[in-house]
Amino acid sequence: MRKLNHALLAGALALACASCTAEKEANYQVIPLPQEVSLTQENPFKLNENVLIAYPENNALLQRNAEFLSEYIQQATNYAPKTKAIAAGEQVKNAIVLGLDPSIANKEGYVLTTTPEGININGQTENGVFYGIQTLRKSIPAEAKEATILIPAGEIKDEPRFSYRGMHLDVGRHFFPKEFMKKYIDLLALHNMNTFHWHLTDDQGWRIEIKKYPKLTEIGSQRSRTVIGRNTQEYDNTPYGGFFTQEEAKEIVKYAQERYITVIPEVDLPGHMLAALAAYPEMGCTGGPYEVCPRWGIFEDVLCIGNDQTMQFLEDVMNEIIEIFPSKYVHIGGDEAPRTRWEKCPKCQARIKTEGLKADKNHTAEDRLQSYCMTRIEEFLNSKGRQIIGWDEILEGDVAPNATVMSWRGMEGGIKAAQLGHDVIMTPTSFCYFDYYQTADTKDEPLGIGGYVPIEKVYSLEPVPAVLTEEQSKHILGAQANLWTEYIHSSEHVEYMVLPRMAALAEVQWTQPEKKDFKDFTKRLARLMKFYQRDGFNYAKHVFDLKVDFTPDVTKKAVVVTLSTIDDAPIYYTLDGTEPTTASLKYTEPVSITETADFQAVVIRPEGKSKVVNKKISFNKATYCPIELTFQPSEKYKFGGAITLVDGMKGNDSYATGAWLGFVGGDVEAIIDLGQESEIKQVATNAIVDMSAWIMGSTGLVVSISDDNKEFREVAAKDIPAETNIDKKGVENYEITFDPVKARYVKVVIKRSPALPKGHAGEGKAAYMFIDEIEVD
């Protein structure tokens, strides 16, 4: 056998009759990419309606696998091969034979062997065989009606990199029916995923029937209205609700199990519980009244941990949850639980005293109260043979070593957890939050929560941080993407947000990192998208958009524009703001821009034009001048560094695109070297305000000048009122004008807002400040 890299696989069947419309070629350029593919020079196997799918007799799981494979083939070809049980040692020809092979090392691994006479798919377990079936399924063209499929002769040896390969869906904010839940699970199966994290409860709705507490669904599943837009003061005044009965949930769990997918339920506690409190107000610190929340965010009212009735309630709920969901894990949340009610609640303070919960330099007594709650529920679930998963906030206290940590606030929580001996699932916002926009150009996108996670960013995730030792790395179980649904109202919108980013995540979860290559992935993605199209999924097509990189060249004082497409289609551009046509400049190499320009570019394919990319580039006296920051941006939001503030390009209304620098805990102080003495009379800058993301603007500007970068003289100062609107979102522009002065060095201080305002969920805590483009004229 000879080894072929996957770039050559498409040509491996040149011997087949390409002109014969009754035959179509399969190839193994699938997602996720198999670990090892070896092809031979033999003739391909011919898959047609006469082929049999065989499985060992008395193996119900492999029988079901065979039926799945027959169904998958029918979806592509219109014919469904017959399935047949065979006795041990029985030989069948012109067949796809499913079997078990204990010599395969990984329990989800498989070996797929193809000869001219037939195909064998063997796994250590039935799970492994199922993943071999997925590879075969995706090797067949999505549309091959009545055709004979020529399947390359050779062998695939494959196994997943990670044992935990998850996707999440929030049904608390918006509800999705049983039929769509099954469709979502089918998508997980297509992408070789084995875990569905089902977020069932939140402030805006309780979605799972609990028979001992019927008001949870009678009251808690219905909100009277929903806020319009991003937490405006307007509401639709339309009742909204829905929930799953226990029988419906069990049906979904069974449907997932048949596809080797484990459903992990999440009941988020002790915060995000307003729906439960609306149903049972006695469980809260104040006694209410409460309502199922019509807004999005973090809210002060949480469960009263000092109330014995509350703790009994949680245990009762968990008793019914584990009857519905047989998974090893139960997710108990633990995120975003404000302590303000506990600080004033006599019952909670009594609990703190009784349990001897003490504050230290890192934690308040109320922090310890949250740990008490999480630990108590963990111990209860452990006594029932279950283990917990919690968001990384559960590290803020004393959590037993068998708790698994889901790291969402970056990778840091996961690193800390692994170092402490906890198992970890990586789901950092900057790579894995699929409710974030998937393009920086959001003007034509459906309303979203913000952020920016393009498919390239998802694909670049490395779940095992290099800082971990080999032993600590074993605690990284895998990765998961999350879809929160505050702004996602329909199943079509869910599909749009997860596809095709789910494909990028699948390759992160399955394929060894040294085999990953984004450009090759995009070529294979075009094949997978045909399956999305055939099956009626509403997938996003940004991957076909023009990719643009604007790179500062400080030496040349220029913006270098690099353009590309996944299919090398022709690109045209202009510099004067007019829309490009085939008569415009054709892109052949990176474009260097050294003066103010209104750049536009477009891809023109035979089927039409792509979305136009445009960027205004404005040069002023500070553009590409040396700049120093005395206070550095947050590590998470430093992006391209200080030069970003004088690169001539203003950021849009998304703080996560890399065009903004994010600061927390101090004022921004920038010193710009104009290179020579120049006359100046104005300084301007911009800040993003996004109160829901704890981002505030500036409260003042101070401009000072110097001839030697040592002694500075203040020439202007301006106070700006601190933002008090807790729902504010937008870009703020600040400028300060003064009598003309001459200077070489300009120091600009952009004062931060000292704390989040009264009424905000983070009231009194430090806010981020995101700044872009300091202009000097």
Side-chain angles (χ1 to χ4, degrees), residues 2 12 79 81 165 296 317 369 502 583 603 613 675:
R2 62 187 174 88
Y79 54 78
R165 303 182 303 280
W296 321 123
V317 167
L369 186 62
M502 190 186 282
V603 183
V613 169

Side-chain angles (χ1 to χ4, degrees), residues 39-152:
L39 299 183
T40 70
Q41 298 290 346
E42 295 180 281
N43 289 330
F45 174 69
K46 294 186 176 183
L47 171 63
N48 56 39
E49 60 187 353
N50 298 317
V51 167
L52 186 70
I53 302 175
Y55 58 90
E57 60 184 356
N58 301 319
N59 189 317
L61 295 180
L62 285 183
Q63 178 182 355
R64 191 172 64 218
N65 281 0
E67 291 164 354
F68 278 138
L69 178 55
S70 179
E71 180 183 331
Y72 295 149
I73 292 171
Q74 184 180 35
Q75 288 169 351
T77 66
N78 267 3
Y79 54 78
K82 293 180 181 178
T83 63
K84 179 187 177 184
I86 58 173
E90 182 180 345
Q91 299 296 312
V92 287
K93 290 189 175 182
N94 198 35
I96 303 171
V97 181
L98 312 182
L100 300 179
D101 181 353
S103 71
I104 295 172
N106 189 295
K107 69 179 183 180
E108 294 181 296
Y110 67 90
V111 176
L112 189 158
T113 307
T114 304
T115 68
E117 289 74 39
I119 298 175
N120 286 86
I121 304 176
N122 290 315
Q124 187 206 102
T125 64
E126 291 84 358
N127 303 43
V129 174
F130 184 75
Y131 295 120
I133 286 170
Q134 298 308 314
T135 293
L136 180 59
R137 165 197 190 182
K138 288 175 280 193
S139 300
I140 296 169
E143 294 281 1
K145 301 305 182 188
E146 314 303 337
T148 294
I149 311 299
L150 306 179
I151 300 178

Side-chain angles (χ1 to χ4, degrees), residues 3-12 27-30 33 37 39 515 517 519-521 523-524:
K3 297 285 179 71
L4 292 183
N5 69 50
H6 47 271
L8 300 177
L9 293 184
N27 71 59
Y28 301 129
Q29 295 188 66
V30 300
L33 183 68
V37 179
L39 299 183
K515 294 183 180 291
D517 179 278
K519 189 168 184 179
D520 176 69
F521 164 79
K523 293 176 182 176
R524 290 180 282 116

Side-chain angles (χ1 to χ4, degrees), residues 202-204 271-279 290-293 299 301:
D202 219 295
D203 294 304
Q204 296 81 15
H272 289 292
M273 274 279 175
L274 275 171
L277 292 177
Y290 308 103
E291 69 170 336
V292 181
C293 195
F299 304 98
D301 285 304

Side-chain angles (χ1 to χ4, degrees), residues 7 49 137 149 205 222 225 304 307 309 312 325 335 421 465 554 686 688 700 703 731 769:
E49 60 187 353
R137 165 197 190 182
I149 311 299
Q222 301 286 327
R225 65 201 190 285
C304 178
N307 186 346
Q309 188 179 356
Q312 185 62 50
F325 300 94
D335 63 313
V554 178
N686 310 280
I688 274 189
V703 179
V731 175
M769 181 167 67

Side-chain angles (χ1 to χ4, degrees), residues 175-206:
F175 178 78
F176 304 95
K178 179 180 69 175
E179 293 71 26
F180 178 71
M181 302 312 301
K182 292 180 178 180
K183 192 176 180 184
Y184 196 73
I185 287 164
D186 285 335
L187 273 178
L188 270 65
L190 178 68
H191 292 85
N192 291 28
M193 296 181 182
N194 63 3
T195 307
F196 172 40
H197 172 179
W198 201 2
H199 184 83
L200 289 163
T201 69
D202 219 295
D203 294 304
Q204 296 81 15
W206 185 284

Side-chain angles (χ1 to χ4, degrees), residues 329-342:
Y329 293 109
V330 175
H331 201 305
I332 62 171
D335 63 313
E336 300 176 335
R339 321 298 200 221
T340 48
R341 295 294 190 225
W342 297 342

